Amino acid sequence: MVKISVVIPVYNVENYLVECLDSIVNQTMKDIEIICVNDGSTDGSLEILKEYEAKDARFTVVSQENGGHAVATNRGMSMATGKYLYLMDSDDILKVETALEDTYKIAEEKNLDFVLFQSINYYMDTNKLIKKENYSMNKLADFIGDKVFSWEDIKDYIFTITVTPWSKLYNREFIVNCGAKFPEGLVFEDNVFFWEVLFSAKRIYFHRQHYFVRRWHSSSFTVSGGPQFKDSIDVMRLVWQVFKKFGTFHEFEDILYHRRIDLGYMRFRLIRDEFKQDYLDALKESFSEFKQESNFDEVFNRLSKRDQAIFNYALESNTPEEYKTIMEDYDSGRLRRMAPRDPNTPIKISIMMPVYNLENYLDRSIGSIIAQTLDELELICVNDGSSDNSLKILREFEEKYNFIKVFTQENQGAGPALNRCIGEASGEYIAFLDADDIYVDKTALEKMYNYGVKNNAEIVAGNLKRTNLKGDLMANFNYDVGNYAYCADYGVMDPKDYGIPWAFYKNIYKKSFLDENNVRFPPFKRGVDPVFLAKALAEASEIYTVPVDLYGYNWSIGGGFNNKLFDYSFKKNHLIAFKSSFDILENAGFNKVAHRFKKEVITYLTHFGNENDLELFNLVHEVFGEDERYFNDYSNEFMLYKIKLILNNINNQEFFVYAKNTLSETPIWENDLLTNSIIREIFVVLSSNSFEEYELNIHKFIINEASGNDLTTSKEIFNPEFEVQELSESESSLIERRNSLKGNINSLIENNERLKLKIYKLTEDNKYLKKEVNELTELKEKDSPSKGSKIKKTLKLGK
């Protein structure tokens, strides 16, 4: 007896057959027989088989009239003599040469009925290998680990196992004893064989290795949309019979109903138009049979609304066009949202949408809500004094759809509009959508709501994508730089691990949680988002995460600080919001988050084109004052912003004097962020005595910068750091200090620009010392101060 019988049914696969056969011939397991059943091929497949049979004694080739894949496979199985049985498709590849040997050893060692292993998809049109869950079965692998199991051990995972026979090595005696065969005359026959074998097996093992390559090409019947698709309806009938035979039907009846309905509609969509009418007639007949089941009404009421719609609309439709149109309307949400709503049905999620002059985006934005699979939604729109057609469009939506409520008010800005939305909401959870953004995944709100309810979550987080004006989805760089956490799986996170308080709209919030903790938006027109989210994070005990793309942020409209800072009040609102967010985060112990958020404010100030905005700079000082907590962590970055702003705004004598005084008091040499070019430009300011002289010098500087020359000279250097001097010091000690500092100049001339600037300031301070000496001499001559008293002069360094 050979160790393994490999059975390969063959039909018109001359372009792929050699690669398939070579992958078997080259297996390290040599004690095998290879049974090839030519199923009436009309191409060169038979000639290829005969060539292999002639040169390899392990081959047995038989031919028959075309009877179908099942007939050929059953015939090959009946001819097999090996201890184990492997069923191969003739256009695929067993890519790992040790696959048969590895699985044989496992089966022998563990005395198995069959070994299950992983497969990978090969898409010929793109020439790519792609792993997918349906063939990788990682969820099952994670659950079962290294254990031998039966179907009873994996009840929650049996529908995650691929039904394909080529991902399994069977004990042939087990297959013979259980009597499993492929139903002949049908395609999709793998389904029936799989369930018969699964329910019969007592000892199964999952070997977590990708051994098999599943080839996808245009001639595969599974993607061709041919008339054979109608066979799937009969196959699902037979699958139900297998479940009933083994007494498992009622245990799994909900999912069996769902799969029969869902797969039935899926293949209706995929079958080519010329075959759709026959398919629809067969589908209606199949659905009519459901009503004969003893507990049909009970099970049907437990099905999803979409399953119920697929079922009912199929029975009501007379033509494929009618069925297709009504289901497209249903899936888009239009049909569901137009139907009368039961006022007694609780609202699960209320969606908040403030609207101001966004008439061009409302169709797309509201359309993404309509498409959401969660039925129990309401959309609260507050028109915030729009002067375009936004209100008219909103009223049209409100009249047409049952879940939209529109309110209007004088323009007050985003904060008051959002708070009005929350006040009008009646949902268990609150979601947000700006009127120029979209929801991405139509199942997102349903998934997030269900997970939130299951865990009584205060906040449920999803993910965010960026979009452009065309609606194309783009990656979100905020995840790459760690601004906020990516939700990679269902789970829970500490609010302190969320990240900086951006993107509040990618989450849903329990309304009672918001109400009880008074989590609301500040009454500003703009810049309200971080305050709301910072407060929510500070009050939340934990955040539940769902791996779904909820939100599509229209970056081309909302992205960038410039797009948001228009007038004085807008700028001030943003800065107050930033400061409020800092305070909330730090008071709640979110020190790491607050630290990171401070950097984002500096980034806004320095990298979004505001280095000419004196009004904004003055507002920074007005809002944040002299409190070093806000910028001490990023003093160099803030200094860079301040210096650039000063240099960019010297346009009159008054500002020149301010600039020179401020720059002379700034510890520039300590800042590694300042480039040589900036330092040289500072030198131009400090070496000039008037605005007119500065204009001439800066002109020379620009020319020399372009040519790469260095304008600096030894006498044009400064040092803003000078220790406090006491006027009561003796004249001799002051002169000695002056001479000492003068002597350092020559040694610093050859250093870089920072040291040169430092020397210049020393020189200037020496002039100041001379003046101090003269003043001290005059004081001594007139009236010496009382004993022990000191007069101190402090040189202000600035920030």
Side-chain angles (χ1 to χ4, degrees):
M1 177 188 294
V2 296
K3 291 179 179 178
I4 299 177
S5 296
V6 180
V7 174
I8 310 176
V10 178
Y11 178 72
N12 287 355
V13 287
E14 62 179 357
N15 293 329
Y16 317 113
L17 185 55
V18 170
E19 195 172 4
C20 167
L21 297 179
D22 284 346
S23 75
I24 299 298
V25 170
N26 294 330
Q27 288 290 305
T28 57
M29 169 65 74
K30 300 303 180 184
D31 189 11
I32 63 176
E33 64 177 357
I34 306 169
I35 302 169
C36 299
V37 181
N38 174 50
D39 189 38
S41 297
T42 58
D43 63 357
S45 296
L46 179 57
E47 286 71 23
I48 295 172
L49 292 175
K50 287 181 177 179
E51 289 177 10
Y52 276 83
E53 185 180 33
K55 63 184 180 182
D56 191 332
R58 296 176 299 172
F59 273 82
T60 299
V61 177
V62 296
S63 290
Q64 63 182 32
E65 292 185 4
N66 180 248
H69 192 274
V71 174
T73 304
N74 287 338
R75 182 174 180 183
M77 289 168 59
S78 68
M79 297 170 60
T81 62
K83 183 171 184 180
Y84 291 92
L85 181 65
Y86 182 64
L87 306 177
M88 180 76 179
D89 272 8
S90 54
D91 54 352
D92 296 328
I93 309 162
L94 197 60
K95 75 180 182 79
V96 179
E97 292 183 353
T98 62
L100 293 181
E101 184 172 5
D102 293 345
T103 52
Y104 171 83
K105 288 178 179 178
I106 292 170
E108 283 287 277
E109 177 187 339
K110 299 182 181 294
N111 188 28
L112 302 175
D113 294 324
F114 68 88
V115 182
L116 175 67
F117 53 86
Q118 295 170 307
S119 308
I120 191 168
N121 293 285
Y122 171 52
Y123 295 91
M124 292 191 63
D125 57 341
T126 59
N127 194 34
K128 289 184 179 179
L129 290 168
I130 299 177
K131 294 178 182 178
K132 290 194 174 181
E133 177 60 27
N134 59 333
Y135 289 150
S136 293
M137 300 170 283
N138 289 310
K139 292 179 181 178
L140 171 64
D142 291 340
F143 172 75
I144 203 61
D146 197 45
K147 299 176 184 176
V148 174
F149 61 93
S150 72
W151 73 269
E152 293 177 294
D153 301 313
I154 58 165
K155 291 182 179 181
D156 291 339
Y157 297 90
I158 62 172
F159 291 99
T160 68
I161 305 175
T162 178
V163 301
T164 54
W166 34 253
S167 59
K168 304 161 186 75
L169 180 73
Y170 300 101
N171 183 304
R172 189 174 66 84
E173 183 179 2
F174 158 71
I175 293 295
V176 171
N177 291 339
C178 75
K181 291 185 178 181
F182 293 87
E184 299 182 355
L186 298 171
V187 297
F188 305 105
E189 73 281 3
D190 297 355
N191 289 268
V192 183
F193 181 84
F194 166 75
W195 292 111
E196 187 86 31
V197 169
L198 180 68
F199 288 135
S200 300
K202 302 300 180 185
R203 297 186 62 78
I204 309 168
Y205 182 80
F206 187 24
H207 185 46
R208 199 169 190 171
Q209 291 293 329
H210 287 87
Y211 283 145
F212 189 86
V213 174
R214 169 73 166 95
R215 188 194 303 268
W216 292 90
H217 53 87
S218 59
S219 56
S220 298
F221 80 86
T222 50
V223 298
S224 66
Q228 307 99 319
F229 270 36
K230 192 171 73 169
D231 290 355
S232 64
I233 296 173
D234 290 328
V235 166
M236 293 308 295
R237 283 195 185 97
L238 295 175
V239 168
W240 276 30
Q241 291 178 17
V242 173
F243 274 80
K244 290 177 179 179
K245 170 185 172 181
F246 285 92
T248 55
F249 181 81
H250 290 300
E251 186 172 359
F252 299 104
E253 60 188 354
D254 284 18
I255 194 167
L256 288 171
Y257 270 86
H258 162 71
R259 287 169 66 86
R260 194 164 169 181
I261 292 170
D262 187 62
L263 290 172
Y265 177 62
M266 180 194 76
R267 293 199 170 104
F268 167 81
R269 290 187 292 109
L270 294 176
I271 198 169
R272 295 201 297 272
D273 288 346
E274 60 264 38
F275 308 119
K276 270 185 164 52
Q277 185 65 61
D278 285 345
Y279 185 93
L280 177 60
D281 293 340
L283 187 65
K284 291 170 67 173
E285 181 180 349
S286 172
F287 285 176
S288 296
E289 296 169 2
F290 286 18
K291 297 181 178 180
Q292 300 172 14
E293 296 293 328
S294 58
N295 58 341
F296 166 76
D297 290 336
E298 180 183 345
V299 176
F300 189 78
N301 288 332
R302 293 199 299 264
L303 294 177
S304 70
K305 287 184 169 55
R306 185 173 187 273
D307 284 347
Q308 294 177 7
I310 292 171
F311 182 90
N312 288 328
Y313 292 139
L315 294 178
E316 295 171 7
S317 298
N318 294 314
T319 66
E321 292 75 19
E322 181 183 353
Y323 189 38
K324 178 183 177 182
T325 299
I326 198 168
M327 280 307 303
E328 286 177 349
D329 283 343
Y330 181 86
D331 282 338
S332 71
R334 294 188 294 270
L335 201 61
R336 291 177 290 127
R337 306 296 181 197
M338 288 188 288
R341 165 173 278 173
D342 183 354
N344 297 317
T345 301
I347 300 299
K348 293 179 177 178
I349 295 182
S350 297
I351 301 168
M352 315 288 95
M353 180 182 284
V355 179
Y356 178 72
N357 287 352
L358 288 167
E359 61 181 359
N360 294 327
Y361 304 97
L362 286 171
D363 281 349
R364 178 169 170 261
S365 184
I366 296 177
S368 74
I369 301 174
I370 291 172
Q372 285 291 305
T373 56
L374 185 65
D375 283 336
E376 296 83 358
L377 298 175
E378 70 174 359
L379 172 60
I380 307 296
C381 299
V382 171
N383 176 59
D384 191 40
S386 296
S387 57
D388 64 357
N389 288 319
S390 293
L391 180 59
K392 178 177 179 292
I393 294 170
L394 290 174
R395 291 298 187 199
E396 290 172 353
F397 273 108
E398 183 182 36
E399 183 177 349
K400 187 174 183 180
Y401 294 101
N402 60 25
F403 74 110
I404 300 176
K405 298 178 182 178
V406 177
F407 302 90
T408 189
Q409 64 184 32
E410 295 293 322
N411 179 251
Q412 300 176 44
L418 284 163
N419 289 335
R420 172 88 182 270
C421 286
I422 296 174
E424 300 290 350
S426 59
E428 184 179 0
Y429 280 84
I430 297 293
F432 297 90
L433 184 65
D434 280 357
D436 54 349
D437 296 333
I438 60 170
Y439 285 145
V440 176
D441 188 324
K442 67 181 182 180
T443 68
L445 288 180
E446 184 171 17
K447 290 175 179 176
M448 294 173 72
Y449 173 81
N450 290 339
Y451 198 58
V453 169
K454 178 182 177 181
N455 295 284
N456 193 29
E458 297 164 332
I459 303 175
V460 183
N463 291 318
L464 179 145
K465 293 279 191 181
R466 293 188 302 153
T467 71
N468 57 22
L469 284 173
K470 297 178 181 178
D472 301 323
L473 295 178
M474 301 178 288
N476 183 357
F477 66 87
N478 285 289
Y479 294 122
D480 298 331
V481 299
N483 281 344
Y484 40 79
Y486 181 74
C487 301
D489 205 349
Y490 287 94
V492 62
M493 75 165 64
D494 188 318
K496 292 181 179 179
D497 295 329
Y498 178 91
I500 58 177
W502 290 149
F504 76 100
Y505 30 64
K506 75 182 189 70
N507 314 316
I508 64 172
Y509 307 81
K510 197 165 190 177
K511 188 171 188 297
S512 59
F513 161 74
L514 298 181
D515 292 343
E516 290 166 7
N517 293 283
N518 193 30
V519 179
R520 291 295 189 271
F521 294 86
F524 306 148
K525 286 195 171 185
R526 299 297 293 267
V528 298
D529 308 0
V531 181
F532 173 88
L533 184 52
K535 177 69 171 174
L537 294 175
E539 297 293 346
S541 56
E542 53 193 5
I543 298 173
Y544 284 83
T545 62
V546 177
V548 65
D549 291 327
L550 169 66
Y551 205 91
Y553 179 68
N554 193 338
W555 183 255
S556 54
I557 298 297
F561 204 35
N562 278 338
N563 291 332
K564 297 179 179 179
L565 292 184
F566 298 104
D567 60 18
Y568 178 87
S569 64
F570 274 18
K571 297 173 189 177
K572 189 171 183 178
N573 287 170
H574 271 92
L575 294 174
I576 294 174
F578 285 139
K579 182 177 183 295
S580 299
S581 301
F582 293 153
D583 293 339
I584 292 169
L585 293 169
E586 287 194 335
N587 291 337
F590 284 55
N591 297 324
K592 182 178 178 182
V593 179
H595 174 82
R596 182 64 182 268
F597 192 41
K598 291 175 185 179
K599 185 175 182 181
E600 290 304 307
V601 178
I602 298 294
T603 300
Y604 271 133
L605 294 175
T606 58
H607 292 290
F608 285 94
N610 295 299
E611 290 164 356
N612 296 317
D613 194 339
L614 279 174
E615 184 178 65
L616 177 61
F617 177 70
N618 292 329
L619 279 172
V620 170
H621 286 282
E622 178 184 337
V623 172
F624 290 96
E626 298 298 321
D627 193 337
E628 294 185 355
R629 289 185 309 120
Y630 297 108
F631 296 114
N632 59 356
D633 294 335
Y634 297 100
S635 57
N636 281 352
E637 288 86 350
F638 187 70
M639 182 194 295
L640 177 63
Y641 160 67
K642 176 180 177 180
I643 289 172
K644 285 184 176 181
L645 186 139
I646 288 173
L647 294 175
N648 289 340
N649 283 278
I650 302 175
N651 53 21
N652 56 54
Q653 176 64 26
E654 182 181 2
F655 196 86
F656 168 77
V657 172
Y658 164 79
K660 185 171 182 178
N661 291 337
T662 302
L663 292 174
S664 69
E665 296 172 352
T666 304
I668 294 169
W669 77 95
E670 296 177 352
N671 192 336
D672 293 335
L673 298 180
L674 297 181
T675 65
N676 289 338
S677 176
I678 292 175
I679 292 175
R680 287 193 291 270
E681 193 171 349
I682 294 171
F683 149 72
V684 173
V685 176
L686 297 177
S687 63
S688 301
N689 295 312
S690 66
F691 175 66
E692 290 75 13
E693 183 180 348
Y694 164 77
E695 283 191 304
L696 293 173
N697 289 338
I698 197 66
H699 180 68
K700 295 177 183 178
F701 166 76
I702 293 171
I703 294 174
N704 279 272
E705 277 288 292
S707 62
N709 295 330
D710 188 350
L711 280 172
T712 58
T713 64
S714 60
K715 69 177 182 178
E716 297 164 332
I717 311 302
F718 79 110
N719 173 17
E721 182 182 33
F722 192 80
E723 62 185 3
V724 173
Q725 300 295 319
E726 297 182 0
L727 294 180
S728 60
E729 288 182 314
S730 67
E731 180 179 0
S732 60
S733 64
L734 288 173
I735 294 173
E736 182 180 350
R737 174 64 175 159
R738 179 198 65 186
N739 293 335
S740 174
L741 293 175
K742 269 182 84 175
N744 289 334
I745 294 177
N746 291 331
S747 64
L748 293 173
I749 289 175
E750 303 302 323
N751 286 336
N752 62 26
E753 287 80 358
R754 290 181 177 82
L755 293 176
K756 292 178 182 178
L757 290 170
K758 191 172 183 179
I759 295 170
Y760 172 72
K761 186 60 173 65
L762 288 172
T763 304
E764 294 297 305
D765 286 339
N766 282 336
K767 296 177 182 178
Y768 173 77
L769 287 175
K770 288 181 179 180
K771 181 180 179 182
E772 293 290 298
V773 169
N774 293 332
E775 291 177 354
L776 183 60
T777 301
E778 292 176 2
L779 284 172
K780 285 183 177 181
E781 292 175 351
K782 293 181 178 180
D783 185 17
S784 297
S786 60
K787 186 176 180 181
S789 68
K790 294 183 178 180
I791 302 173
K792 295 186 177 181
K793 180 71 175 178
T794 301
L795 178 64
K796 185 177 180 182
L797 299 180
K799 296 180 182 177

